[in-house]
Amino acid sequence: MVTPLMPTYARADLVFERGEGCWLVATDGKRYLDFAGGVAVNALGHAHPKLVEAITAQAQKLWHVSNLFRIKEAETLAEKLVKASFADTVFFCNSGAEAMECAIKMARKYHSVSGHPEKMRIISFDGSFHGRTLATLAAAGAQKYLEGFGPVLGGFDQVPYGDLEAVKKAITPETGAILIEPIEGEGGVRVPPPGFLKALRQICDERGLLLVLDEVQTGIGRTGKFFAYEWSGVTPDILGTAKGLGGGFPIGACLATEEAAKGMKAGSHGSTFGGNPLATTVAGAVVDIVLEKGFLARVNKMALLFKQRLAELKDRHPKIIAEIRGEGLLIGLRMIPPNGDFVAAAREQGLLTAAAGENVVRILPPLIIGEEEISEAVNRISAACKALETSVAAERGAAE
Ligand SMILES: *Cc1c(COP(=O)(O)O)cnc(C)c1O
């Protein structure tokens, strides 16, 4: 019989009761170091005092009013995001998929109002993930997620990630934009070759295309910059973000230059909940903290330290860890045994991680981690590696 909660996830049999900073406490009292971070959502850990304060104060005043009226909290958050980025204007929604849906619609609308409605095709990349709506699934083009859901929305041309020649070859007179994750998160923390974004920017400028970034996972300090594109030296035309933005409260945002957003007028797009006072207050508090002087410098310092310690672990466990990837605190460990085995072994040791493509285990700690949490995590990863080595050896012994 089906469970009341629709079984669309293969969940670990583990229930949490509360969270404190980088820790989660299960209903049986066991404590877990949360380096899955709600899949890059709990940017400031759990129950951050400033977020608790912000949401509590706002909850007592006003939750929702609809977009029929001005929303001061949304205006303030939009101003903050504009000031901190390439963007001139921001649309708020409730998730990453919606942020990317808005990005896709905006790119098409731009060319339509520019007199080129035929430029509605978008080049996207293998291994990408943009969400679970029909358009974002079509953009990513992953067969396993599209299977059985009817006609696939047209207008997307996938090319291999990091392959500049393939991008150039895929451009036709109907191409309007290039859509890319600066680092592919779900795809396995895949980092493109150096200079790739810059080269895409150049192609876009030469061919009159929009550069659309999916920073749903890489945004809000995750890679050590507020947005990952800042590492590249170029800026996009449109950018979607979500996950870390609300620190656990659902919110998404689609940022754009004035030019790219020129087709977005009253009535062009909308969202009932998008940008409501509660969500935008919480996100405003997250953004304030991440942009505080020294916050991102500390993220980079901790990331460097963590990666050094992980490199030592890789040397000590060459039969378990094949490669360390990523930027900032978006870290991937490519595994030799199945990544799911490692995730389970780490969980046994009280460390939460998240699986990704290419047999990678993602490590997505809260951005507030310190040296103590890193040491604790390294010990637990080491213990998980040892447990896996023992079980691999035992299996080999049984097979002989
Ligand atoms: C998680 C993710 C999404 C989808 O976000 P939802 O909030 O689940 O809709 C889109 N793009 C990227 C890069 C993501 O990591």
Side-chain angles (χ1 to χ4, degrees), residues 95-97 129-131 181 186 214 216-217 243:
S95 66
F129 182 76
H130 301 297
E181 291 166 81
E186 310 291 321
D214 181 344
V216 171
Q217 189 155 164
K243 292 199 164 92

Side-chain angles (χ1 to χ4, degrees), residues 257-291:
T257 62
E258 183 169 10
E259 174 68 9
K262 74 181 182 186
M264 305 305 273
K265 302 274 193 260
S268 300
H269 194 47
S271 163
T272 296
F273 292 119
N276 88 5
L278 200 54
T280 47
T281 295
V282 178
V286 172
V287 168
D288 284 346
I289 293 169
V290 173
L291 292 176

Side-chain angles (χ1 to χ4, degrees), residues 23-323:
W23 295 86
L24 276 169
V25 185
T27 43
D28 64 2
K30 190 172 171 188
R31 291 170 65 83
Y32 291 83
L33 195 51
D34 184 11
F35 277 31
V39 194
V41 165
N42 297 99
L44 301 179
H46 299 278
H48 190 289
K50 286 192 181 153
L51 299 193
V52 172
E53 191 188 306
I55 196 170
T56 308
Q58 188 60 40
Q60 285 166 349
K61 286 197 293 190
L62 186 65
W63 295 24
H64 181 85
V65 291
S66 91
N67 287 302
L68 299 175
F69 307 98
R70 280 182 59 195
I71 298 173
K72 193 79 204 93
E73 296 79 6
E75 291 173 4
T76 305
L77 178 59
E79 282 161 19
K80 286 175 189 173
L81 291 172
V82 162
K83 190 161 170 246
S85 75
F86 74 99
D88 301 310
T89 188
V90 185
F91 176 85
F92 290 118
C93 49
N94 317 287
S95 66
E98 284 171 275
M100 297 321 300
E101 189 87 15
C102 176
I104 292 163
K105 286 179 73 178
M106 202 192 307
R108 288 182 171 186
K109 193 75 162 180
Y110 168 80
H111 288 294
S112 172
V113 300
S114 303
H116 290 286
E118 78 285 1
K119 289 188 176 289
M120 50 75 79
R121 298 195 73 83
I122 296 176
I123 294 173
S124 55
F125 292 88
D126 283 355
S128 64
F129 182 76
H130 301 297
R132 299 287 200 132
T133 64
L134 289 166
T136 53
L137 285 177
Q143 214 40 51
K144 64 172 177 174
Y145 293 140
L146 287 162
E147 183 66 39
F149 291 115
V152 179
L153 182 72
F156 297 97
D157 300 300
Q158 285 89 20
V159 299
Y161 192 64
D163 186 340
L164 210 52
E165 286 313 307
V167 172
K168 287 181 187 162
K169 272 201 207 114
I171 298 173
T172 73
E174 291 183 356
T175 305
I178 299 175
L179 163 62
I180 186 169
E181 291 166 81
I183 296 174
E184 286 189 344
E186 310 291 321
V189 193
R190 296 171 77 196
V191 181
F196 191 64
L197 277 192
K198 204 169 202 169
L200 291 183
R201 177 73 270 176
Q202 199 181 345
I203 292 173
C204 285
D205 292 343
E206 286 166 7
R207 312 292 293 259
L209 311 180
L210 297 174
L211 181 60
V212 181
L213 294 185
D214 181 344
E215 293 229 28
V216 171
Q217 189 155 164
T218 55
I220 323 298
R222 177 53 54 189
T223 71
K225 296 275 191 195
F226 190 65
F227 286 119
Y229 73 76
E230 295 168 46
W231 291 113
S232 74
V234 294
T235 59
D237 301 292
I238 300 174
L239 176 154
T241 193
K243 292 199 164 92
L245 179 58
F249 199 93
I251 181 170
C254 185
L255 288 66
T257 62
E258 183 169 10
E259 174 68 9
K262 74 181 182 186
M264 305 305 273
K265 302 274 193 260
S268 300
H269 194 47
S271 163
T272 296
F273 292 119
N276 88 5
L278 200 54
T280 47
T281 295
V282 178
V286 172
V287 168
D288 284 346
I289 293 169
V290 173
L291 292 176
E292 257 170 30
K293 202 169 177 312
F295 185 94
L296 290 173
R298 188 166 180 281
V299 169
N300 284 306
K301 194 172 154 212
M302 290 304 136
L304 188 63
L305 180 74
F306 198 7
K307 285 219 194 91
Q308 284 165 348
R309 303 286 305 273
L310 288 171
E312 288 162 24
L313 280 183
K314 175 181 166 285
D315 291 343
R316 261 191 282 146
H317 302 283
K319 291 201 169 72
I320 305 294
I321 304 173
E323 185 193 342

Side-chain angles (χ1 to χ4, degrees), residues 185-186 339-340 343 353-357 360-362:
E186 310 291 321
N339 55 357
V343 170
T353 58
V360 163
V361 170
R362 262 176 306 170

Side-chain angles (χ1 to χ4, degrees), residues 318-365:
K319 291 201 169 72
I320 305 294
I321 304 173
E323 185 193 342
I324 298 162
R325 307 170 162 182
E327 192 75 69
L329 291 174
L330 174 51
I331 300 172
L333 305 180
R334 192 162 62 79
M335 287 287 149
I336 292 170
N339 55 357
D341 291 1
F342 181 89
V343 170
R347 195 165 60 230
E348 278 301 303
Q349 301 297 330
L351 178 77
L352 304 177
T353 58
E358 296 196 335
N359 206 34
V360 163
V361 170
R362 262 176 306 170
I363 303 193
L364 303 159

